[in-house]
Amino acid sequence: MIRRLLLLLSGVTEKASRFGPGSGFFRGRREFAHFHSATEIDLRLTRRVIRTLPKDWRLVRRKTASDWIAFKVRRRSDARVACALARLAWELARS
């Protein structure tokens, strides 16, 4: 579901991730998402946006400042939230 949505977004390509094994999703030359596993997606949201996100067990923040945050997907409702966050990451990746 999430992968399908990512590929429907305008200008998105799937190719080898710069941050590990597996595929990354790019808008232009900027990677904005990749999967750590079938149940966890890493999203580039920027530090500013990450600071505004509410505390949520599904969000895995880095110990050091980062533009990336992981999101855990356990249920279909989690996938819907992950899709909304992925769309935000795509919007932020336009530069």
Side-chain angles (χ1 to χ4, degrees):
M1 173 180 181
I2 301 167
R3 180 179 178 278
R4 236 180 328 193
L5 169 98
L6 290 168
L7 292 172
L8 288 175
L9 295 170
S10 178
V12 172
T13 56
E14 181 179 10
K15 53 188 174 184
S17 173
R18 296 178 180 158
F19 303 103
S23 295
F25 298 87
F26 293 76
R27 185 172 189 183
R29 295 183 347 183
R30 179 165 285 173
E31 183 171 353
F32 69 93
H34 56 263
F35 288 93
H36 286 181
S37 68
T39 60
E40 188 173 290
I41 186 171
D42 215 17
L43 300 161
R44 184 182 184 279
L45 293 176
T46 75
R47 287 173 221 157
R48 179 183 53 79
V49 171
I50 290 169
R51 282 193 299 270
T52 68
L53 296 175
K55 292 196 184 224
D56 186 317
W57 68 269
R58 298 169 295 185
L59 292 170
V60 181
R61 289 170 166 84
R62 304 273 192 298
K63 295 189 187 319
T64 59
S66 175
D67 285 340
W68 291 86
I69 192 163
F71 187 82
K72 294 177 184 260
V73 179
R74 300 288 186 259
R75 296 180 291 280
R76 192 167 195 75
S77 59
D78 299 336
R80 284 192 292 274
V81 175
C83 286
L85 290 170
R87 179 177 284 281
L88 176 58
W90 169 79
E91 290 171 2
L92 294 166
R94 55 181 167 223
S95 56

